[in-house]
Amino acid sequence: CSPENKVNCPRALLSASLQLARIQTDSVVEMLRELYPNLRFEIVAMSTTGDKILDTALSKIGEKSLFTKELENALERNEVDLVVHSLKDLPTSLPPGFTIGAVCKRENPLDAVVFHPKNCGKTLSLLPEKSVVGTSSLRRAAQLKKKFPQLEFRDIRGNLNTRLKKLDEKEDFSAIILAAAGLKRMGWENRIGQLLSPEDCLYAVGQGALAVEVRAKDQEILNMVSALHDANTVLCCIAERAFMKRLEGGCSVPVAVNTMLKDGQLYLTGAVYSLDGSDSLKETMQTSVNYPQRNEDGPNDDVQHVGITAKNVPGQAQEAAENLGVELASLLLSKGAKHILSVARQLNDTR
């Protein structure tokens, strides 16, 4: 597609080395094709730093834009027009000139346990003492160490296929923890041996949601992808991202959330943990997001809330969701969250 032809042939970019990334991008492009049958979409594949570094825990690499930098470079150079991400991979502050133009309807955000074939039918509580459970997430490890002190938790890296292969073909792990959404998108729901409820394990900010990143000033593309916004998912994820941003969290510290939207009320539970889970703070707050959509064109038309531009979701509701996240984080900070997270960050750096 030539740049002049851009509007007739938008180019979508994905992270190449992941089969999951292809499936996610295909699902977004398929939704766009249904909405815009006269447009032809071209999919471009590219590898990212996060895809290439498979022997180090994500929390140790220290690069905030691990899965996004190369993709955003292509977007900036006009080589592509939109980039499909897992929302949980996107930092809460995007580089200037970019915005999240769509947040698609969220898949199940919970974490799932996949067991070694010999442990089929078991749950984490039924695994023998000292069983090794693999996870690449400090957040999961911190919560589950506290809940299941009889188990050992170790880093496991690689894409979904690689991690499942490590589990099935070796005896190193009794089980591994993965996002249920990724397993479902890959068609591997049958491998889920246990879904972890929010009581067992709060999930990551944005987990289960797909985001479409675009150039902030590209109105044609922004208008096109905005039709993919799911209002409930947008409001939940704005609250979660605002919570994370206020805490200055990331993959190098254990921060976790759970959100629910019911009868116009948005409920946000947020927590911070020490690396071993022994120290933690957890609170829940709620706010009303029951506001009508205003059809006012004005200078704040394209206002961003923690990197998300959603013109078709009531602006007052977005503000309320963002304020909820900020207020909940401020409450935790007033109770000592900064100390817990700074100690966790320091310990992670020295591991």
Side-chain angles (χ1 to χ4, degrees):
C1 269
S2 64
E4 304 86 62
N5 229 359
K6 176 187 76 173
V7 185
N8 296 321
C9 181
R11 294 147 299 166
L13 180 62
L14 69 145
S15 167
S17 63
L18 299 179
Q19 185 185 348
L20 179 59
R22 180 69 200 221
I23 288 169
Q24 292 178 168
T25 303
D26 284 347
S27 72
V28 168
V29 169
E30 194 49 47
M31 286 188 281
L32 288 170
R33 281 183 179 135
E34 285 180 22
L35 289 165
Y36 307 102
N38 295 329
L39 294 185
R40 186 172 68 83
F41 292 86
E42 179 189 345
I43 295 176
V44 182
M46 180 183 287
S47 291
T48 70
T49 306
D51 301 327
K52 294 169 189 165
I53 305 174
L54 297 177
D55 56 352
T56 308
L58 291 180
S59 60
K60 296 289 289 176
I61 300 168
E63 173 57 75
K64 278 188 178 177
S65 53
L66 212 53
F67 292 98
T68 61
K69 188 183 283 181
E70 290 94 338
L71 309 183
E72 284 170 342
N73 288 345
L75 198 54
E76 188 171 31
R77 292 191 299 261
N78 287 321
E79 292 169 10
V80 296
D81 302 301
L82 51 116
V83 184
V84 179
H85 301 277
S86 292
L87 181 58
K88 68 181 176 126
D89 291 338
L90 278 173
T92 52
S93 294
L94 298 184
F98 300 106
T99 191
I100 297 165
V103 180
C104 305
K105 187 174 173 61
R106 194 175 212 166
E107 189 52 80
N108 186 338
L110 299 179
D111 289 310
V113 189
V114 178
F115 292 92
H116 188 282
K118 70 179 180 188
N119 294 314
C120 197
K122 290 186 176 167
T123 61
L124 287 179
S125 57
L126 294 176
L127 286 177
E129 199 166 327
K130 301 289 184 194
S131 291
V132 177
V133 178
T135 173
S136 58
S137 159
L138 294 180
R139 170 190 58 81
R140 291 171 183 147
Q143 293 180 81
L144 297 174
K145 281 175 184 174
K146 180 85 182 289
K147 186 97 178 167
F148 304 100
Q150 75 279 16
L151 303 177
E152 291 183 16
F153 293 87
R154 281 190 209 149
D155 282 332
I156 182 168
R157 283 281 284 123
N159 58 40
L160 274 184
N161 310 53
T162 306
R163 280 186 266 182
L164 285 171
K165 200 172 178 187
K166 285 179 182 176
L167 172 69
D168 292 342
E169 295 182 4
K170 297 182 179 180
E171 297 290 321
D172 298 354
F173 298 98
S174 298
I176 58 176
I177 317 290
L178 300 165
L183 288 163
K184 184 172 181 184
R185 289 185 183 120
M186 292 285 280
W188 296 337
E189 253 185 308
N190 64 325
R191 290 303 309 267
I192 297 176
Q194 181 182 1
L195 269 179
L196 296 173
S197 71
E199 288 72 39
D200 288 329
C201 192
L202 296 178
Y203 45 81
V205 166
Q207 185 159 305
L210 295 182
V212 183
E213 188 179 14
V214 298
R215 291 178 291 274
K217 295 198 184 305
D218 192 333
Q219 283 300 326
E220 283 175 299
I221 298 293
L222 189 53
N223 290 340
M224 181 187 76
V225 302
S226 67
L228 299 178
H229 272 309
D230 177 75
N232 286 5
T233 304
V234 166
L235 294 174
C236 288
C237 291
I238 283 175
E240 293 170 17
R241 285 170 64 81
F243 173 73
M244 171 82 94
K245 185 175 184 178
R246 176 74 180 89
L247 288 174
E248 297 179 354
C251 63
S252 61
V253 288
V255 173
V257 294
N258 177 49
T259 46
M260 182 177 68
L261 219 170
K262 188 179 178 185
D263 300 328
Q265 290 287 314
L266 179 58
Y267 301 84
L268 172 64
T269 298
V272 300
Y273 302 89
S274 59
L275 289 191
D276 63 0
S278 61
D279 202 2
S280 66
L281 285 168
K282 178 177 165 184
E283 295 287 348
T284 302
M285 291 177 77
Q286 69 187 78
T287 192
S288 172
V289 289
N290 198 11
Y291 295 98
Q293 174 70 302
R294 289 178 177 172
N295 294 317
E296 296 174 6
D297 287 331
N300 294 325
D301 229 11
D302 293 344
V303 67
Q304 289 191 31
H305 294 277
V306 277
I308 297 170
T309 301
K311 288 189 282 188
N312 49 353
V313 178
Q316 287 173 287
Q318 293 183 63
E319 282 172 33
E322 184 169 3
N323 289 338
L324 176 65
V326 171
E327 285 167 19
L328 182 61
S330 297
L331 176 62
L332 293 189
L333 288 168
S334 73
K335 295 187 171 192
K338 189 166 188 175
H339 175 70
I340 293 174
L341 293 178
S342 61
V343 170
R345 201 174 269 117
Q346 288 164 12
L347 286 174
N348 183 55
D349 289 344
T350 57
R351 279 197 309 163

